[in-house]
Amino acid sequence: MPHALVIGAGIGGIATSLRLRLKGYDVTVLESNSYPGGKLHAIEKDGYRFDLGPSLFTMPHLVTELFELYQVDSQKYFQFKKKEIVCNYFWEDGQKFSITSDSEKFIKDAAVYFNEPQQKIRSYLRSNQKKYDLTAELFLENSLHKLSTYLTKQTIKSILQIGKLNINDSLDSVNRKYFKNPKLVQLFNRYATYNGSSPYRTPGIMSMIPHLEMYYGTFFPKGGMHQISISLYEFAKQQGVIFKFEHPVDSITIKNKMALGAVCNNKFHEADVVVSNMDIFPTYKKLLKDEPYPKKTLEQERSSSALIFYWGISKEFPALDLHNILFTESYPNEFNALFEKKTLYVDPTVYINITSKEETNDAPKGHENWFVMINAPGNYGQDWEFLKKEARKNIISKINKILKTNIEEFITTEHILDPVGIENNTSSHRGALYGAASNSKFAAFIRHANFSKSIKNLYFCGGSVHPGGGIPLCLLSAKIVSDLVPNPTQNA
């Protein structure tokens, strides 16, 4: 049976291994860490459990589909529930607004709260859905780098309606055209952070992102976010996928413009197909040192990173839910600091995720496990020790002002993850969470393809290649790779 080698056991790599196994390949996954999941990992500390990486779960059908492909009931391995409250938003003037999963209720609530016409909000949401419907097949479900993608009826339809996609406008300008209330504009501008970009630079087509959250809803996996990767990992093992941990790959072996396998721990692993789930930058710079690299792609602006404080809190806060946002007073200044000055803003937007709201065992009784994150620039050699100390003070100040508390007296334990740690733990260039930023209308086309144009049998998946980062897009990249990889009989 032909053999496929997957480099990296992140969510994209695991999903790719399952799809290639179903296709008829023997599959081996080589992972440098001692655990599966990549960024989708977790730790336990002093009685608290913390998801280390992604905290938002939407489009769960992309996970359950992997079980259904094998005609297996996904609920035997993976359960989740839909959240009624999508997110709580707080401002320093005391205002708070909660987005509900019921879109009609959201429209009515937002119209009253932000003093905006219902028809304007409804029109905005419909426009977002239209953008998604027009572009999903082109931008998310197929390779942007294959001519055949552009010859479909759907692509032609999308091109003919390109004026509706707002690709020449920024997300912020689109939101300001619809709404007068600056708080509602800020709320919808936030969705640029879902792909590590700035709302003042990313194109207006990105207003389709709130559609994904509001149409599909947000969910919580039983056992926490880490359970997504663990359930798929356990399932992949049962299907015969071989995982080798603490196996960092030294190089991908290329001969006569064909990938033949990879060298790991001075041992050659032969393969008919090689898939890199590693960040595209170190894939070229470390694993393909002797091969020409796509300079324009690798020099793309990196997405934002994150600075995360994992706090055990010896108090419960009823005003908070699973997802909570405490907004900065100046979004433009915050994104200018992140992308232009490559530093942290003194008044950051603070995101607080509390899984113990759903899983009571994630914290001791009467306590909560806080995942406290602010957007951060990538690692460009900044003094992170200084920045972390300043950020901690600024975050605590923001929380105290908005929640009317003294949060520091309730912090019982602390773990910190910064861009340097993200870079070291996940081989993400500069600690970027999503590979390249989407701060240009051409960014999607410059992002690396899911296959090599010059090396046969070499493919790429994960958050740093098409279609982008985040759990849903990593799962979609796995599907694209599977569609591109020939059937074993063809490959042989």
Side-chain angles (χ1 to χ4, degrees):
M1 190 177 291
H3 187 216
L5 195 64
V6 178
I7 302 169
I11 188 73
I14 299 173
T16 300
S17 75
L18 277 165
R19 289 184 177 276
L20 295 185
R21 182 69 182 138
L22 188 67
K23 245 182 158 172
Y25 285 89
D26 274 338
V27 185
T28 300
V29 182
L30 301 177
E31 168 59 50
S32 62
N33 286 314
S34 60
Y35 53 85
K39 296 184 183 77
L40 203 55
H41 188 42
I43 60 167
E44 294 186 11
K45 186 175 182 181
D46 299 328
Y48 300 88
R49 193 199 70 86
F50 299 99
D51 285 311
L52 286 181
S55 57
L56 177 68
F57 183 39
T58 187
M59 303 178 77
H61 62 278
L62 295 176
V63 176
T64 58
E65 178 185 48
L66 293 167
F67 297 95
E68 292 158 4
L69 288 171
Y70 286 83
Q71 298 182 324
V72 170
D73 183 0
S74 62
Q75 292 192 15
K76 293 180 180 179
Y77 295 84
F78 180 65
Q79 298 91 40
F80 56 90
K81 60 176 281 191
K82 188 172 184 178
K83 286 288 298 172
E84 290 185 16
I85 299 297
V86 173
C87 187
N88 291 323
Y89 291 91
F90 298 82
W91 289 269
E92 282 195 17
D93 61 6
Q95 291 196 20
K96 173 191 173 184
F97 182 75
S98 299
I99 292 183
T100 67
S101 59
D102 184 328
S103 59
E104 278 302 311
K105 186 175 188 314
F106 164 73
I107 290 169
K108 292 175 182 176
D109 290 348
V112 172
Y113 196 88
F114 298 105
N115 193 27
E116 297 278 1
Q118 281 192 32
Q119 61 268 29
K120 271 286 188 183
I121 302 173
R122 186 172 285 106
S123 175
Y124 177 75
L125 297 182
R126 285 176 179 167
S127 172
N128 297 345
Q129 180 172 3
K130 183 74 171 176
K131 289 173 185 174
Y132 177 76
D133 292 342
L134 282 171
T135 61
E137 184 177 307
L138 171 62
F139 284 98
L140 301 180
E141 298 170 7
N142 291 286
S143 171
L144 277 178
H145 303 82
K146 289 284 188 180
L147 179 61
S148 57
T149 300
Y150 298 90
L151 301 179
T152 66
K153 289 182 180 179
Q154 182 61 35
T155 301
I156 295 170
K157 181 181 178 182
S158 300
I159 292 171
L160 291 175
Q161 299 189 63
I162 198 168
K164 297 179 180 179
L165 301 180
N166 297 117
I167 61 173
N168 292 316
D169 303 308
S170 70
L171 177 60
D172 174 67
S173 65
V174 169
N175 292 338
R176 284 189 288 106
K177 284 177 184 176
Y178 274 92
F179 308 118
K180 294 180 180 178
N181 191 306
K183 285 187 171 66
L184 189 55
V185 171
Q186 186 179 36
L187 189 154
F188 281 116
N189 275 353
R190 175 182 169 253
Y191 287 93
T193 65
Y194 282 37
N195 61 15
S197 305
S198 165
Y200 306 99
R201 293 171 57 194
T202 198
I205 191 175
M206 294 302 175
S207 66
M208 74 166 97
I209 298 176
H211 164 69
L212 299 180
E213 185 174 274
M214 294 182 177
Y215 179 78
Y216 289 104
T218 59
F219 300 81
F220 182 79
K222 185 178 179 181
M225 294 293 289
H226 188 216
Q227 193 59 34
I228 300 173
S229 53
I230 291 299
S231 62
L232 291 175
Y233 161 66
E234 295 293 344
F235 184 61
K237 285 198 300 181
Q238 291 181 16
Q239 305 313 314
V241 176
I242 303 298
F243 288 84
K244 295 187 176 182
F245 297 104
E246 297 181 329
H247 274 64
V249 173
D250 301 310
S251 63
I252 296 172
T253 303
I254 309 296
K255 187 176 182 180
N256 298 325
K257 294 297 180 181
M258 182 179 292
L260 301 179
V263 175
C264 172
N265 294 334
N266 296 316
K267 180 182 177 182
F268 175 61
H269 296 258
E270 186 177 1
D272 300 279
V273 169
V274 178
V275 184
S276 177
N277 180 222
M278 193 178 189
D279 185 301
I280 196 66
F281 191 96
T283 294
Y284 275 97
K285 295 294 187 177
K286 179 184 176 184
L287 307 186
L288 295 165
K289 287 179 182 177
D290 298 328
E291 299 300 319
Y293 64 89
K295 186 177 180 186
K296 197 169 185 180
T297 295
L298 297 196
E299 290 181 353
Q300 268 186 289
E301 180 183 21
R302 297 293 97 184
S303 80
S304 59
S305 185
L307 174 59
I308 311 169
F309 294 85
Y310 306 88
W311 288 337
I313 301 293
S314 62
K315 181 181 177 181
E316 293 179 317
F317 286 78
L320 302 180
D321 205 301
L322 178 64
H323 302 293
N324 312 273
I325 289 288
L326 283 57
F327 270 126
T328 177
E329 291 289 280
S330 177
Y331 235 20
N333 286 341
E334 181 173 16
F335 283 96
N336 182 63
L338 293 173
F339 286 101
E340 306 305 327
K341 298 179 180 178
K342 299 290 189 292
T343 192
L344 301 176
Y345 187 46
V346 293
D347 175 31
T349 295
V350 178
Y351 166 68
I352 304 175
N353 174 254
I354 310 172
T355 63
S356 60
K357 297 286 187 182
E358 304 294 331
E359 289 278 350
T360 56
N361 290 335
D362 281 357
K365 188 175 181 180
H367 293 223
E368 294 180 343
N369 63 332
W370 283 25
F371 169 114
V372 182
M373 185 190 85
I374 62 172
N375 293 311
N379 176 29
Y380 292 85
Q382 300 95 321
D383 183 347
W384 285 107
E385 291 307 311
F386 172 78
L387 289 175
K388 283 188 288 189
K389 288 178 183 177
E390 290 299 302
R392 191 179 190 276
K393 288 190 294 185
N394 293 331
I395 290 169
I396 287 172
S397 175
K398 169 73 72 177
I399 292 171
N400 289 344
K401 284 179 189 175
I402 290 179
L403 299 183
K404 308 296 188 225
T405 187
N406 183 11
I407 196 64
E408 196 161 19
E409 68 180 75
F410 303 114
I411 299 173
T412 63
T413 191
E414 178 177 82
H415 177 72
I416 305 173
L417 184 60
D418 61 19
V420 176
I422 293 170
E423 184 171 22
N424 292 338
N425 295 343
T426 64
S427 296
S428 302
H429 183 48
R430 299 198 185 281
L433 297 181
Y434 309 97
S438 296
N439 286 332
S440 158
K441 62 184 178 182
F442 303 111
F445 298 94
I446 303 173
R447 187 178 281 271
H448 201 283
N450 302 100
F451 63 98
S452 172
K453 296 178 181 179
S454 59
I455 302 171
K456 189 178 179 183
N457 297 339
L458 179 59
Y459 301 87
F460 308 91
C461 68
S464 67
V465 298
H466 177 71
I471 295 171
L473 298 186
C474 286
L475 295 172
L476 286 169
S477 78
K479 183 178 185 302
I480 294 171
V481 167
S482 176
D483 290 341
L484 291 170
V485 171
N487 291 323
T489 51
Q490 293 175 291
N491 203 62

